[in-house]
Amino acid sequence: MSKKQDILEAALKIFTEFGTTAASTKSIATEAHVSEALIFKHFKSKDNLIEEIMKTGYREATKLVSTYLEYKTPKDYISNLLDLPKILVLANKDFWQMQYKIMPLNAMAVTHHKLFMKPCNDFLVKAFAELGYKRPVLEAEILLLFIEGLWKHIAAHEFDTGHIDEIIHLTKKKYGLMSAEK
């Protein structure tokens, strides 16, 4: 593994634990077993380091979404979107835990997240319109609020996957995306 990758992994760990404001480049250097100067050589500033972690995390999330969240039918799209919070957080828990912690105070994190979620909103509006909902924009907003809360809950807590699965299953039933058994 390269020193640059060591720095990124150490920074993600430190930012997740302490947030980006309280974390120091010195603590990141110690965690990565490198000099603080090497951090600045690769990233120029702590903000650039944060930006690189954001880009990497959302790049990985986008790859996962692009293979999993293809729009075929409205019901399939909504159903798959409801599975997404669990899938994303479990695939890269450290990144999503960091996002959960820093989003309230970090404009960069908010911007990256909004850009990531924008296509989901557009497709949800389309799906609800095709399904005949009277207010597809509002329905999309409601579902995205639920999804936002769900990924944050999963990232913030140790959880029982069975319980999260039950929440997702119940939500799918409420939208008529599956049979009523279970």
Side-chain angles (χ1 to χ4, degrees), residues 36-45:
E36 205 171 354
L38 189 60
I39 292 173
F40 291 109
K41 178 182 177 205
H42 283 294
F43 300 101
K44 307 293 183 236
S45 70

Side-chain angles (χ1 to χ4, degrees), residues 68-83 127 131 172 177:
Y68 185 77
L69 206 56
E70 188 177 323
Y71 193 98
K72 293 177 184 170
T73 70
K75 285 187 173 189
D76 284 345
Y77 185 81
I78 295 168
S79 181
N80 289 343
L81 189 62
L82 284 165
D83 292 328
L131 291 171
K172 287 180 181 184
L177 304 173

Side-chain angles (χ1 to χ4, degrees), residues 139-157:
E139 290 290 345
E141 187 175 347
I142 290 166
L143 194 59
L144 287 174
L145 286 168
F146 170 79
I147 288 167
E148 188 79 11
L150 186 58
W151 84 254
K152 287 177 179 178
H153 178 75
I154 296 168
H157 302 93

Side-chain angles (χ1 to χ4, degrees), residues 8 28 42 50 58 100 110 154 161 164:
L8 286 168
I28 295 166
H42 283 294
I50 297 165
Y58 279 110
Y100 170 75
V110 171
I154 296 168
T161 56
I164 297 300

